[in-house]
Amino acid sequence: MSDPLERREELADALELVAREAREYLAGLDRDPVQPQGSEDILDALPAAFPETGDGALEPLRELARLGAETATRSSGPRFFHFVIGGTTPAALAADWLASALDQNAGAWVASPLGTRLEVVAVDWLRQLFELPSDFKGVLVTGGTMANFVCLAAARDWCADRLGASVADQGLASVPQIPVLTSGYVHASAMKSLALLGIGKANVRKLTRDAAGRLDLDRLGEELENLDGDPAIVIANAGEVNAGDFDPIEPMAELAERHGVWLHVDGAFGLFARLSPRTAPLTAGAERASSVSSDGHKWLNVPHDCGFAFVRERDWIRDSYAEDADYLPPRDDPRPSFGYSAPEGSRRARALSVWATLRAYGRHGYREMVERHLDLAQHLAHCIDREPHFERLAEVPLNIVCFRWRPPGADEEQLDGLNRALGAALIKDGRVFAGTTLFEGKVAFRPAIVNWQTQAGDVDLLVDVLSELAERVPVTV
Ligand SMILES: *Cc1c(COP(=O)(O)O)cnc(C)c1O
């Protein structure tokens, strides 16, 4: 008896089991090790035999819950500072459960008026949250990568149109190489998107003026001058991953307007600087861009996966993604089909989480959360500055603190190896989770604060655990 139809009475028990287990897991999020010890061995030992006959729903769910408790990285908890990974607000998480229970296909209005209407509202609320003008039209995607992809696809197609061609119809062979100009801050996912879009990574010119990767604005002006009116794409980076720094968006917008090129702003987490008057000036000019991308599963604290793309003229998205089939709604249907604005056809109703969390906490709640994170980043910077064996490497404009361990007596050549060793010890220890990067060629820590639950005690623990572990990493001088 393995046919799900014959076992359908399990549903209520299955949902209850999962609710119970999830409650327990979440209650331990701020106390359990961020990376449980021994997880790899447990995962490697998972039986891989293909089940010819099923066990029914409850057995695998119990096992999944056990595996989650024993091995899941508590990246949605308050002590995970690696990458830029947010948690899930209670409203967003529960709405995401509902999104699965309702299982709406948000690809077309006819498939789900509910999912579609909530997406219309949710993306407009996001637009208002970030104070972007009303001619920006948005769409929900799976994350910052796809948000970059959608925006850069629109940029590519706009450039082709300026040259009298259509990539959607004739392909890339119908246009000359499209110039892409940016700084060394450009995110790997924008590069990946340009690879997927047929523009190519090697074709991107990074106009940097120092080892951190800052934009050389004068060179950008010269390069745009040299284009002689040809269309091009300029990418401004709002919130770079090592230190949370920003390209000078306003002067870039100025140049883009003067030369008639497409300005894309990648604001995966940096766009949230707009939520506080303290940091909003960093993103000044984003409202003048042609497209803006950001992430939901980072600072918005909705579950994976969620991102959003805003494009000033929605038609550019529509041209890239429109599908024609006799059973599909017409392209000019006044009731929108988001499958015509995004790479996917059938789509998860991500709007439910976004809508619920914005309704639950509003502009004020999100501003308070962002400002708490800004304060915590300054607090962390202060703690680092106070400790003689740590060295801060960059200013802290937003929510990332870039620093390294610098034991007295150690010389420059040793520091990279020592910081890598300390980074590995930190992850193995598991009480807090932060990773290393290369900043201006130096191995450095770069904890990012984006989780709604993170408080001063969590940040203090990061400094304490690093100091404690540093005592045990052998330093030979
Ligand atoms: C995280 C990030 C991305 C990619 O986002 P994903 O959600 O991981 O796809 C793009 N740009 C920047 C600046 C980011 O920080």
Side-chain angles (χ1 to χ4, degrees):
M1 198 178 83
S2 349
D3 182 342
L5 181 61
E6 289 166 24
R7 307 190 67 113
R8 67 184 151 182
E9 78 290 346
E10 289 175 339
L11 177 63
D13 287 344
L15 292 179
E16 260 156 49
L17 184 154
V18 164
R20 201 167 52 240
E21 295 288 348
R23 257 202 304 273
E24 191 136 322
Y25 177 86
L26 294 169
L29 256 189
D30 54 4
R31 130 195 117 219
D32 292 339
V34 186
Q35 185 62 66
Q37 308 263 348
S39 357
E40 281 185 31
D41 294 339
I42 296 171
L43 295 172
D44 287 346
L46 257 187
F50 176 77
E52 291 296 341
T53 321
D55 287 336
L58 300 184
E59 211 33 59
L61 290 172
R62 268 187 219 110
E63 183 163 353
L64 271 181
R66 177 182 65 77
L67 283 171
E70 291 177 355
T71 71
T73 310
R74 270 58 173 181
S75 49
S76 66
R79 283 172 286 115
F80 186 92
F81 299 105
H82 200 14
F83 310 116
V84 184
I85 294 187
T88 56
T89 65
L93 173 59
D96 189 63
W97 283 18
L98 267 182
S100 287
L102 303 177
D103 196 22
Q104 298 292 286
N105 181 344
W109 180 282
V110 282
S112 173
L114 171 68
T116 308
R117 179 71 190 136
L118 284 178
E119 186 156 344
V120 170
V121 173
V123 291
D124 195 59
W125 283 358
L126 288 169
R127 180 190 66 71
Q128 294 182 53
L129 181 68
F130 298 114
E131 299 188 21
L132 295 172
S134 59
D135 54 348
F136 275 98
K137 303 291 184 239
V139 62
L140 297 178
V141 288
T142 53
T145 303
M146 285 317 285
N148 271 328
F149 181 89
V150 164
C151 292
L152 292 168
R156 181 196 65 182
D157 294 354
W158 174 85
C159 288
D161 185 74
R162 291 271 315 273
L163 298 165
S166 161
V167 176
D169 291 331
Q170 280 110 36
L172 269 179
S174 60
V175 285
Q177 186 62 278
I178 296 167
V180 181
L181 303 165
T182 185
S183 74
Y185 284 170
V186 66
H187 193 266
S189 68
M191 300 297 284
K192 172 173 162 176
S193 300
L194 291 164
L196 290 169
L197 289 164
I199 289 175
K201 297 190 212 182
N203 185 47
V204 177
R205 264 172 290 164
K206 298 180 188 172
L207 311 173
T208 66
R209 66 177 159 86
D210 61 24
R214 291 187 181 86
L215 179 78
D216 186 332
L217 199 57
D218 293 338
R219 263 187 74 205
L220 178 63
E222 287 162 24
E223 297 276 352
L224 290 175
E225 199 71 50
N226 292 341
L227 286 175
D228 228 7
D230 280 348
I233 302 170
V234 173
I235 302 176
N237 304 287
E240 142 288 342
V241 292
N242 278 339
D245 198 16
F246 287 70
D247 280 331
I249 305 172
E250 187 95 70
M252 291 173 84
E254 199 97 34
L255 282 173
E257 283 163 15
R258 187 174 331 139
H259 295 280
V261 299
W262 184 285
L263 177 68
H264 169 60
V265 175
D266 177 355
F269 60 94
L271 196 63
F272 285 74
R274 288 172 91 76
L275 302 198
S276 167
R278 285 153 55 184
T279 45
L282 293 167
T283 66
E287 67 285 348
R288 293 163 69 176
S290 307
S291 58
V292 176
S293 60
S294 191
D295 234 312
H297 48 230
K298 290 182 177 175
W299 224 340
L300 193 65
N301 281 264
V302 305
H304 287 95
D305 42 19
C306 180
F308 35 97
F310 292 104
V311 175
R312 190 147 239 161
E313 294 173 60
R314 166 89 169 263
D315 282 349
W316 295 115
I317 310 191
R318 285 246 175 106
D319 272 10
S320 310
Y321 298 113
E323 280 177 89
D324 299 299
D326 294 334
Y327 56 87
L328 289 173
R331 285 195 204 191
D332 56 2
D333 191 335
R335 298 172 307 173
S337 285
F338 279 96
Y340 293 176
S341 306
E344 308 89 1
S346 298
R347 303 163 69 243
R348 179 172 180 78
R350 294 187 182 81
L352 272 61
S353 288
V354 174
W355 181 88
T357 201
L358 290 175
R359 231 197 103 194
Y361 314 111
R363 189 189 299 282
H364 290 172
Y366 272 95
R367 179 185 302 156
E368 274 173 41
M369 180 189 73
V370 164
E371 292 190 337
R372 178 166 62 253
H373 293 157
L374 297 175
D375 290 341
L376 287 173
Q378 293 304 322
H379 170 69
L380 175 57
H382 180 72
C383 294
I384 293 302
D385 292 346
R386 216 174 41 198
E387 301 282 346
H389 51 274
F390 289 127
E391 175 189 23
R392 189 148 61 80
L393 296 176
E395 295 298 313
V396 182
L398 199 66
N399 62 334
I400 298 179
V401 183
C402 185
F403 65 94
R404 66 176 172 172
W405 177 37
R406 188 170 196 137
D411 52 31
E412 191 60 46
E413 291 85 78
Q414 292 176 291
L415 289 178
D416 284 354
L418 287 172
N419 277 279
R420 275 206 189 89
L422 182 58
L426 183 72
I427 288 178
K428 185 146 182 279
D429 176 85
R431 279 175 286 172
V432 281
F433 200 117
T436 54
T437 184
L438 265 193
F439 179 77
E440 298 185 347
K442 302 165 187 146
V443 174
F445 292 90
R446 37 118 6 247
I449 301 167
V450 283
N451 188 294
W452 66 281
Q453 297 196 76
T454 300
Q455 300 183 61
D458 304 303
V459 168
D460 292 340
L461 190 67
L462 173 64
V463 181
D464 292 348
V465 171
L466 277 175
S467 300
E468 183 192 313
L469 296 173
E471 302 267 313
R472 288 190 235 141
V473 176
V475 184
T476 46
V477 278

